[in-house]
Amino acid sequence: MDDIKYTTPQFQPKPDFGTPKQVSQKQVTLNIDGVDVSVPEGTSIMHAAQVSGVSVPKLCATDSLEAFGSCRLCLVEIEGRKGYPASCTTPVAEGIKVHTQTSKLADVRRGVMELYISDHPLDCLTCAANGDCELQDMAGAVGLREVRYGYEGENHLKQEKDESNPYFTFDPSKCIVCSRCVRACEETQGTFALTIEGRGFGSKVSAGNQLFMDSECVSCGACIQACPTATLMEKTVIEAGTPEHSVTTTCAYCGVGCSFNAEMKGEEVVRMSPNKDGGANHGHSCVKGRFAWGYATHKDRITTPMLRKNIQDPWQEVSWDDAINYAASEIKRIEAKYGKDAMGGITSSRCTNEEVYVTQKLVRAVFGTNNVDTCARVCHSPTGYGLKQTLGESAGTQTFDSVMKSDVILIIGANPTDGHPVFASQMKRRLREGAKLIIADPRAIDLVENSPHIRADYHLNLRPSTNVALISALAHVVVTEGLVKENFVKERCDWGSFVAWRDFVAKPENSPEALEETLGVKAQTMRAAARLFATAGNGAIYYGLGVTEHSQGSTMVMGIANLAMATGNVGREGVGVNPLRGQNNVQGSCDMGSMPHEYPGYRHVSDPAAKALFEAAWGRPLSIEPGLRIPNMLDLAGEGRFKALYCVGEDIAQSDPNTQHVTHALESMECVIVQDLFLNETAMYAHVFFPGASFLEKSGTFTNAERRISPVRRVMSPKNGYEDWEITAKLSEALGYPMQYNHASEIMDEIAVLTPTFKGVSFKKLDELGSIQWPCDDEHPTGTPTMHVDEFVRGKGRFFITQYVPTSEKVNAKYPLILTTGRILSQYNVGAQTRRTKNVEWHAEDVVEIHPHDAEDRGIKEGDWVGITSRAGETVLRVTLTERVQPGVIYTTFHHPESGANVITTDNSDWATNCPEFKVTAVQVTRVHQLSDWQKHYKTFSDAQIAFANNKLSKKAQQPA
Amino acid sequence: MQTETLIKMANQVGDFFAANPNQAQAQLEIANHLNRFWTKDMRNQIAAHVQAKQGAGLHSQVISSIAAHLNP
Ligand code: SF4
Ligand code: SF4
Ligand code: SF4
Ligand code: FES
């Protein structure tokens, strides 16, 4: 394959303007070193100087942080003013004349530098920051030639390093106490883990007087990025040296979709630096994106294709041709024997748009069926359905930046500080500025009161499974207390549907008082929260899987849209309905038609125009019948009627509910083809293994939660030999349907031709603009940050009646507790990637949280092993006691397969989309002393499977079928 | 697929639309949902169940909806 066609491999470091950009209608003109420059009012002289091309020496300033004015290196002279003001803290003024270089300033700056250097080790040549150190640069810039003060006096050179964090080192001997790290932790990350302790010479940076790993630090890396010296330094840079080139790409983890510069030495990543120009992250990151990329070169990666006839057999390593041909022959055989409908494909939200597109094309055009689904089935499918019904488009309405204009934020069933950390940092900034906060969650997430300087105004700690009752109660208050924005509704929404909805929620049975007991939340609290949301100005709703993963997930999404429309909170900045997508490409995998009822761009398969369009483009007859969803495929497989699965990047055996049902289905199939980086849980049941490429090894795009399409760029050759779309194309060719692409960009070109909302998207435009929020068409050539501005995509917004229907998953004497599941910051989804990084130092196992009362009733103590039994199965986990969960509710994560969290989750699912009800499982918990039967079986089985892969028969020994 | 599974799914769909005061529209929407999201086999199986077993286990509105509006 020819190499990366569209990239900007040689990245140009952007100048550091020293202080943040200001926004103002008013421009101010001043003269700096003889040159006139106009900047927005409020800009610092330092920033203005850089705009005019003049770099003023600086140490404590950087443009991601507010000016601090401590180092005194940036002094300037202003004609007619006394003294030497610091240019970082002095704003511009009309007509002033500024001099940044005079002999007096040079003397002062040299004096300042001399003091710094006299307490700094002179080991530049062997320092990890050599060539990448602002202190070094400034010593050069001010012309420092000698240091008159010796090292005999008191200094900090002997201070010990803190190596506790697996990814970075803190070497206080190199610290100049500029406090950039402290401010980065506060302003950028919002964690407030660092302080400057002591005064004057004795002052030093401290992570609460403990090791970084024992402190509040969440390892986001903002302080390292801000540090001008080698004090805070990535261990990879210390080991490998400074990078020599850099390529901009996109994080492969969560739905925030942070932009990064992959800083490279040849084909080796040295550091991932968040991109200042990243539309979603503006130069920030979390511990996963910045540090947890080592899995790409982990020894567990499988890089050679493998085959076997039977899952009880060892794997045989084969050539790509043999693997592809065998898979194709099996598909043909199964089609001949069982028919097209016995076959299907599953994609993952971890795949690029281009990979998802070619996979659904393969299934539709070549397998000849619409049996193609994606893992959004188990997370955000209700979002797609609910928002399409009400607003007309299956996507969030805003940009992340929109939150900076919100006055009141309502978070429902989401935990942004763990699940969407970079967006959470932005939200916390807005909350510190004074925005109000309402949280609806059964559990006390960190934002409730465990984040510095943030406290939720209301925490509606409802019982799991009662979301829809809650949204009705809130809507009841809005409707009956005259808080509806009638003008908005009259102008923008379907009035008839509004009236029906209004009359429904106004019923006494939907009042907070009537629902108080069902919800377990005080009526007064609900009333106050509803009033706050409806009256505080711009109201924005953010929600996550705590909304969707319920038997009424779709109902709740519609209920949220109803509330947003009724309060006039759609169609401008600061408001909106904002689904926080779990994985990087949840939005994209749905956009790309990986749904059994929809083509790319959400066009129903029964739509004759869509069918004709795709038939003409693909040159194959297509089916007008909706295909099977993942749970339907699994049900049929268990009955022996679904026989072949092509599973790309997804791990249904770990991430889908009722594990034993899933594995039984997999065992019942005749050809399971898994394409992945690792021998994941599903691959243990596979017959063909296609090794996949990591995000560092391929080109493509991801679409984040704000519809932002961002480029993924290949920075190293695929260890497995091919990018993933190429593997799918090879399989297609072996099935008699060659796909004529030379590069992922050509797949996007085809998507653009066939999908109206992607009409203006191309890799070339992504190179130019950095990222694009769809819809991108002739009317919006650079994309659409806010949706539904003048009218809803469906025309008039439609209200739906959202009747609360209790789940059939009920507690009783045998299963008296409710288990709900969630995520943790350091781990990602099934953990296949993050478990293969040092992130395990934060979360080595899944534990179950239980309220102390429930624990006491059962004689359970902190750290005990407990058996958790549900109607579906049993597993054993270690327990922790916490009041974060309410009595009657227990909570766990599912990042480790041996935890078997999904052994206990049930087949219950959302009425509209079959999204599993992961958030509600009735269970009992008891103290135990050994693993569950499932776990014992799992251990034996997975050990055997890993051995089959490790001791695979070599190429020569095997005979391809 | 197990008919019980389909019955449960269809009733859940019915429960959502049941709240619509316009019952005729509700019946249309229930079947429409199945037409749009269920495979042909699944639709045929539930239609057969309505035919052969009078829709035992299905809510009455779901039965009427299937009888009147489900695409074969
Ligand atoms: S890594 Fe992030 S959280 Fe930790 S101290 Fe630095 S800025 Fe604060
Ligand atoms: S650790 Fe770095 S950023 Fe923090 S005060 Fe020291 S030199 Fe400045
Ligand atoms: S995991 Fe999410 S928040 Fe963290 S760096 Fe990646 S995209 Fe950003
Ligand atoms: S850069 Fe202005 S005082 Fe440090």
Side-chain angles (χ1 to χ4, degrees), chain A residues 168 181 184-185 189 191 193-194 212 216-224:
Chain A
F168 63 84
C181 53
C185 193
Q189 165 57 25
T191 290
L194 302 179
F212 268 78
E216 295 294 310
C217 169
V218 293
S219 198
C220 71
C223 55
I224 307 166

Side-chain angles (χ1 to χ4, degrees), chain A residues 403-404 406-411 416-417 424-439 447-448 451-457:
Chain A
V403 78
M404 296 313 286
S406 299
D407 300 308
V408 52
I409 296 167
L410 168 56
I411 303 176
T417 51
S425 291
Q426 188 173 27
M427 184 187 266
K428 287 193 282 186
R429 213 170 307 139
R430 182 62 188 159
L431 292 166
R432 291 197 302 274
E433 288 175 2
K436 302 287 183 203
L437 176 63
I438 305 165
I439 295 175
L447 284 173
V448 170
S451 301
H453 306 288
I454 286 167
R455 175 176 270 262
D457 294 271

Side-chain angles (χ1 to χ4, degrees), chain A residues 572-889:
Chain A
R572 60 179 189 280
E573 282 190 289
V575 299
V577 179
N578 301 275
L580 292 171
R581 310 295 193 139
Q583 307 198 57
N584 45 8
N585 206 31
V586 177
Q587 182 69 54
S589 65
C590 300
D591 299 342
M592 291 300 106
S594 196
M595 289 276 178
H597 64 287
E598 277 169 342
Y599 289 116
Y602 303 99
R603 283 158 297 171
H604 199 269
V605 290
S606 66
D607 170 4
K611 177 173 182 277
L613 176 75
F614 285 96
E615 282 187 337
W618 296 345
R620 284 280 175 108
L622 300 172
S623 166
I624 57 162
E625 283 298 334
L628 297 164
R629 299 164 171 180
I630 295 171
N632 309 148
M633 293 180 197
L634 298 174
D635 282 350
L636 283 181
E639 293 166 21
R641 291 164 55 201
F642 184 86
K643 290 292 183 185
L645 178 68
Y646 177 38
C647 184
V648 185
E650 184 51 11
D651 192 3
I652 51 174
Q654 193 183 342
S655 64
D656 285 37
N658 195 350
T659 307
Q660 293 172 91
H661 179 68
V662 178
T663 53
H664 170 65
L666 287 165
E667 281 165 346
S668 310
M669 294 186 210
E670 292 183 10
C671 178
V672 175
I673 307 165
V674 168
Q675 184 167 320
D676 208 284
L677 299 176
F678 302 105
L679 189 81
N680 63 18
E681 302 306 306
T682 310
M684 296 187 182
Y685 295 87
H687 308 93
V688 181
F689 187 89
F690 291 159
S694 80
F695 79 112
L696 296 166
E697 300 163 338
K698 60 194 177 191
S699 303
T701 53
F702 288 142
T703 307
N704 77 352
E706 34 157 30
R707 292 168 280 106
R708 185 184 301 281
I709 308 161
S710 299
V712 178
R713 296 196 175 96
R714 173 167 159 167
V715 301
M716 54 175 77
S717 323
K719 298 203 180 346
N720 56 328
Y722 294 105
E723 300 190 15
D724 288 77
W725 67 265
E726 292 180 280
I727 301 165
T728 308
K730 279 179 167 296
L731 178 60
S732 184
E733 182 166 14
L735 287 163
Y737 184 82
M739 291 185 178
Q740 318 283 359
Y741 311 113
N742 297 304
H743 185 268
S745 62
E746 297 174 11
I747 304 173
M748 180 52 83
D749 293 342
E750 180 174 318
I751 295 165
V753 168
L754 294 170
T755 314
T757 44
F758 276 66
K759 187 170 177 209
V761 180
S762 67
F763 278 36
K764 186 157 172 290
K765 195 184 271 184
L766 285 167
D767 282 353
E768 288 158 17
L769 300 178
S771 62
I772 302 170
Q773 285 178 276
W774 69 258
C776 173
D777 49 23
D778 295 342
E779 223 179 301
H780 309 98
T782 56
T784 311
T786 308
M787 292 201 75
H788 315 290
V789 172
D790 297 316
E791 67 168 356
F792 286 101
V793 171
R794 75 180 296 285
K796 298 280 185 195
R798 181 173 171 198
F799 285 80
F800 276 81
I801 291 178
T802 54
Q803 171 73 53
Y804 168 59
V805 181
T807 173
S808 57
E809 179 67 15
K810 292 200 184 353
V811 291
N812 59 16
K814 193 165 173 208
Y815 304 110
L817 302 172
I818 292 181
L819 165 76
T820 184
T821 56
R823 309 283 190 281
I824 200 157
L825 170 69
S826 57
Q827 295 290 335
Y828 177 71
N829 202 273
V830 293
Q833 294 143 293
T834 42
R835 278 185 282 113
R836 292 182 172 93
T837 69
K838 292 179 180 150
N839 277 26
V840 289
E841 294 192 21
W842 284 274
H843 183 82
E845 62 178 343
D846 294 316
V847 293
V848 57
E849 292 182 359
I850 187 167
H851 192 277
H853 291 169
D854 292 327
E856 200 186 342
D857 285 351
R858 292 164 177 78
I860 293 168
K861 288 192 291 302
E862 178 72 26
D864 279 352
W865 288 104
V866 294
I868 309 168
T869 319
S870 76
R871 293 180 180 97
E874 185 191 2
T875 196
V876 171
L877 291 174
R878 204 183 286 282
V879 79
T880 185
L881 275 47
T882 168
E883 293 187 2
R884 273 186 181 232
V885 289
Q886 44 182 289
V889 177

Side-chain angles (χ1 to χ4, degrees), chain A residues 170 174-181 196 205 226-229 231-232:
Chain A
F170 174 60
K174 296 192 166 159
C175 178
I176 58 170
V177 203
C178 66
S179 119
R180 272 160 69 160
C181 53
I196 302 281
V205 170
C227 180
T229 66
T231 314
L232 284 162

Side-chain angles (χ1 to χ4, degrees), chain A residues 554-568:
Chain A
S554 293
T555 315
M556 183 60 181
V557 172
M558 289 189 264
I560 288 172
N562 290 338
L563 183 67
M565 290 190 288
T567 52

Side-chain angles (χ1 to χ4, degrees), chain A residues 385 551 555 558 597 604 625-629 632 635-636 639 641 798 801 803 908-909 911-912 914, chain B residues 1-2 5 8-9 12-13 15-17 19 21 25 29 33 35-43:
Chain A
Y385 177 83
S551 63
T555 315
M558 289 189 264
H597 64 287
H604 199 269
E625 283 298 334
L628 297 164
R629 299 164 171 180
N632 309 148
D635 282 350
L636 283 181
E639 293 166 21
R641 291 164 55 201
R798 181 173 171 198
I801 291 178
Q803 171 73 53
N908 246 22
S909 67
W911 67 269
N914 286 140
Chain B
M1 219 172 293
Q2 304 261 340
T5 309
K8 181 174 174 185
M9 284 165 65
Q12 277 185 284
V13 173
D15 284 345
F16 176 77
F17 292 106
Q25 193 192 1
E29 301 218 35
H33 189 90
N35 289 335
R36 287 180 76 79
F37 297 101
W38 284 27
T39 64
K40 199 185 177 86
D41 280 354
M42 289 160 68
R43 294 197 310 269

